[in-house]
């Protein structure tokens, strides 16, 4: 058997990163098109379900050193607002390398522009994605649940019962949550469970499955 890509485990498709993804961000209440598996991994792991990220733009405007015609321009992969209001610019690159030492005309221009703008510049590569491989598919299921439920009407009584349950119990399992509130629609309960996780109101322990009955959760203070 030939040598596998370092990120084979996270994509299950070896070196294939050419997929185009259409995703819905509950955090931004917006649809985005992502042009590769790496962009999908970056979105799901470091933006959508990162509690430190408040909002983000995956279609940021191009930037240049000068408004003059012919000035070099560049487009970042993401512009991100984190807690406290600080701004980050994200660039996604293929492969494994020393990100601090990596130098290309594009990266050098982006570093220079970020410094001038007073924002944090971050480069993401396969070394960032591979260690978190097991979280990608479970989180995609959470994102799919949030996308499917965004147009559903959730009666206020269910919202109140779910909020009271989390506050009153402080921790537990998904199975206990569903059994305690079984007078409500299970679909609505799963949607609200995902919503509370997405909003950072509960922390969820999961490995290969997010929706297992023994999935543990805890209230975030």
């Amino acid at each position: 058997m030939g040598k596998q890509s370092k990120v084979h485990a996270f994509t299950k498709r070896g070196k294939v990163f050419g997929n185009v993804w259409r995703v819905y961000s509950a955090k931004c209440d917006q649809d985005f098109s992502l042009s590769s598996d790496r962009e999908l991994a970056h979105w799901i792991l470091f933006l959508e379900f990162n509690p430190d990220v408040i909002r983000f733009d995956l279609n940021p405007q191009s930037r240049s050193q000068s408004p003059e015609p012919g000035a070099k321009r560049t487009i970042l992969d993401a512009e991100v607002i984190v807690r406290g209001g600080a701004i980050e610019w994200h660039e996604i690159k293929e492969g494994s390398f020393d990100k601090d030492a990596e130098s290309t005309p594009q990266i050098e221009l982006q570093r220079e522009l970020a410094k001038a703008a007073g924002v944090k510049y971050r480069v993401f590569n396969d070394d960032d994605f591979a260690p978190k491989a097991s979280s990608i598919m479970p989180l995609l299921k959470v994102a799919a649940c949030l996308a499917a439920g965004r147009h559903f009407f959730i009666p206020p009584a269910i919202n109140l019962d779910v909020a009271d349950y989390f506050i009153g119990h402080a921790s537990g399992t998904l199975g206990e949550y569903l059994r305690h509130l079984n007078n409500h629609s299970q679909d609505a309960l799963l949607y609200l469970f995902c919503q509370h996780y997405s909003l950072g109101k509960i922390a969820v322990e999961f490995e290969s499955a997010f929706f297992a009955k023994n999935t543990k959760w805890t209230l975030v203070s």
Side-chain angles (χ1 to χ4, degrees), residues 28-64:
C28 297
D29 190 22
Q30 184 177 348
D31 293 308
F32 292 106
S33 290
L34 307 176
S35 60
S36 71
D37 288 0
R38 286 185 177 87
E39 289 187 12
L40 180 75
H42 169 259
W43 167 69
I44 204 79
L45 295 172
F46 294 98
L47 300 179
E48 186 67 19
F49 295 107
N50 180 349
D52 294 327
V53 170
I54 304 303
R55 287 192 64 84
F56 54 84
D57 183 2
L58 298 182
N59 300 300
Q61 64 181 359
S62 65
R63 290 176 169 79
S64 69

Side-chain angles (χ1 to χ4, degrees), residues 114-128:
K115 183 177 181 180
V119 304
K120 184 176 182 179
Y121 178 64
R122 299 182 65 186
V123 177
F124 292 81
N125 66 11
D126 296 346
D127 291 337
D128 297 298

Side-chain angles (χ1 to χ4, degrees), residues 34-185:
L34 307 176
S35 60
S36 71
D37 288 0
R38 286 185 177 87
E39 289 187 12
L40 180 75
H42 169 259
W43 167 69
I44 204 79
L45 295 172
F46 294 98
L47 300 179
E48 186 67 19
F49 295 107
N50 180 349
D52 294 327
V53 170
I54 304 303
R55 287 192 64 84
F56 54 84
D57 183 2
L58 298 182
N59 300 300
Q61 64 181 359
S62 65
R63 290 176 169 79
S64 69
Q65 295 170 304
S66 166
E68 297 298 323
K72 291 183 179 179
R73 305 191 70 85
T74 185
I75 300 178
L76 281 299
D77 288 310
E79 183 168 349
V80 182
I81 300 175
V82 299
R83 292 192 184 279
I87 296 175
E88 295 181 354
W89 288 354
H90 291 191
E91 179 65 24
I92 303 166
K93 290 297 183 185
E94 177 182 354
S96 174
F97 51 83
D98 183 341
K99 290 177 287 187
D100 292 330
E102 182 72 2
S103 178
T104 68
Q106 180 195 31
I107 288 178
E108 289 306 313
L109 175 59
Q110 291 176 347
R111 282 178 176 147
E112 181 180 332
L113 292 171
K115 183 177 181 180
V119 304
K120 184 176 182 179
Y121 178 64
R122 299 182 65 186
V123 177
F124 292 81
N125 66 11
D126 296 346
D127 291 337
D128 297 298
F129 306 138
K132 300 176 180 291
S134 62
S135 297
I136 294 175
M137 290 308 298
L139 289 176
L140 284 176
K141 292 180 180 179
V142 177
C145 181
L146 292 170
R150 60 175 153 164
H151 299 306
F152 291 167
F153 172 70
I154 305 294
I158 301 181
N159 276 301
L160 288 173
D161 285 352
V162 167
D164 287 345
Y165 177 84
F166 286 134
I167 293 172
H169 289 75
S171 66
T173 67
L174 175 59
E176 292 166 348
Y177 161 81
L178 293 174
R179 285 194 299 272
H180 187 89
L181 298 169
N182 62 8
N183 57 315
H184 296 306
S185 160

